[in-house]
Amino acid sequence: MSFKSLGLSEPILRAISKKGYEEPSPIQAKAIPPILEGKDVLASAQTGTGKTAGFTLPLLHYLSENPKEKFRPIRALILTPTRELAAQVHANVKDYSEFLNIRSTVIFGGVNQKPQVATIRRGVDILIATPGRLLDLESQGALSLKRVEVLILDEADRMLDMGFLRDIERIMKLMPKKRQNLMFSATFSKDIKKLAYSILNNPVQVEATPENTAVEVINQTVYRVAKAKKTDLIIKLIAEGNWKQVLVFTRTKHGANRLTKKMISAGITAAAIHGNKSQGARTKALDGFKKGRIRVLVATDIAARGLDIPLLPHVINFELPNISEDYVHRIGRTGRAGASGEAISLVSADETTFLRDIEKLIDQKIEIKILEGFEPDPNASTEPIKQGQGGRRNSNPRGKSKSKNSGQRRRRRNN
């Protein structure tokens, strides 16, 4: 199958060819035709499967084939959960619209809003946004969603995880009821299906890979280790393996900062990326990591969602996530586009339950290793980590904030 056979316009085909793509990925081949037909779509696709182009290409085709008046109202809204994903989606939109008369922009928190407002007022066809900044600017009268024809929710599962349900519901009320709706999610959980059927009209359901399965080409290994020895072990693995590009996951922002400092003290160039970092710091860290100036990027789950890092060879779970699906998202950062990858997890006694849950989810036993000098503590408790120690979803139910407005304020600061 070729992109041309999908019915995309010549300017879009030129942009695709310029990026070096020849054939659509499975999610693109399945999603593009019904989107071009104007149908609502519910798509399940992991990061790295080409899902962004799966909705970007048909969206650009529709907008360019159906031009509107000279003043450009916002005709398409793409909602994403994080700043990094929003920026990445916008980069894709710009690449694929290179030969089209289409304007787009991206808005998110953590940066000055004035340039964003100025761009919107000059007119844009496509707006990529995080929920918090979008609602802030709409409440100020800086933008209107009354002319939106296409709504896209990207990584909808993560938006629910981050407590954006109420924001999404508010945004729905700001748009015309008659519009095309597209929802992309890594999983088809009960909550996602509930949200989907409150937004989508008779959706076509497409799926690129089996739900919640880890990529087969990823070599997964667990190192059983005493909790107090994790830092020394991870430094040993990276240093002795001479690994040049490693993405490390921690449960908390403070944990990411501590580990980064220890890495730097050991002579390993490292940077942390999480919600408390400014957008400038996050962008600088990611750029340095991609260009090889930084060997190790230490990230929390939320900050890492949507990062586009081609051919990433190593992912390390310094701490296992307490939500099994997050493990699949994490290790999916490597082994992309058919390349091999390695995912290592450092597991202490109190993470035993998390490991069992992960193995049950992916339906396989992960190889376990123990290194001499880094043995697990035989006297350590195997009780799971208590709520509040990184258990964001368990300690604060989805969509509910601890006080009436605190959760919403916190989300907007971070996005």
Side-chain angles (χ1 to χ4, degrees), residues 347-413:
V347 180
S348 52
D350 58 353
E351 296 171 297
T352 301
T353 300
F354 299 156
L355 177 60
R356 284 201 299 263
D357 289 345
I358 288 166
E359 291 180 327
K360 183 178 179 181
L361 177 72
I362 65 176
D363 194 26
Q364 71 179 86
K365 287 288 184 180
I366 303 174
E367 180 186 6
I368 293 178
K369 294 182 179 181
I370 297 176
L371 286 187
E372 185 178 352
F374 298 91
E375 294 84 0
D377 183 351
N379 300 315
S381 172
T382 58
E383 286 296 311
I385 296 167
K386 294 180 181 179
Q387 295 180 4
Q389 295 180 318
R392 66 177 186 281
R393 211 178 310 173
N394 293 340
S395 59
N396 187 18
R398 179 179 293 159
K400 297 179 181 179
S401 56
K402 295 180 181 179
S403 66
K404 187 173 181 180
N405 296 313
S406 63
Q408 191 176 78
R409 287 196 299 268
R410 183 166 56 253
R411 288 194 302 275
R412 292 190 184 181
R413 284 198 301 271

Side-chain angles (χ1 to χ4, degrees), residues 189-244:
S189 66
K190 291 181 180 178
D191 289 325
I192 282 296
K193 289 179 179 178
K194 182 179 178 181
L195 175 63
Y197 288 104
S198 70
I199 296 175
L200 310 180
N201 298 309
N202 299 315
V204 175
Q205 187 167 308
V206 297
E207 198 167 356
T209 55
E211 184 176 351
N212 294 335
T213 56
V215 183
E216 292 182 0
V217 295
I218 300 174
N219 180 31
Q220 301 173 62
T221 306
V222 162
Y223 283 90
R224 284 285 193 176
V225 58
K227 195 168 188 175
K229 297 181 180 179
K230 278 191 176 187
T231 300
D232 290 339
L233 176 56
I234 194 172
I235 290 173
K236 174 183 172 68
L237 292 172
I238 293 171
E240 293 187 1
N242 196 29
W243 295 343
K244 300 299 184 184

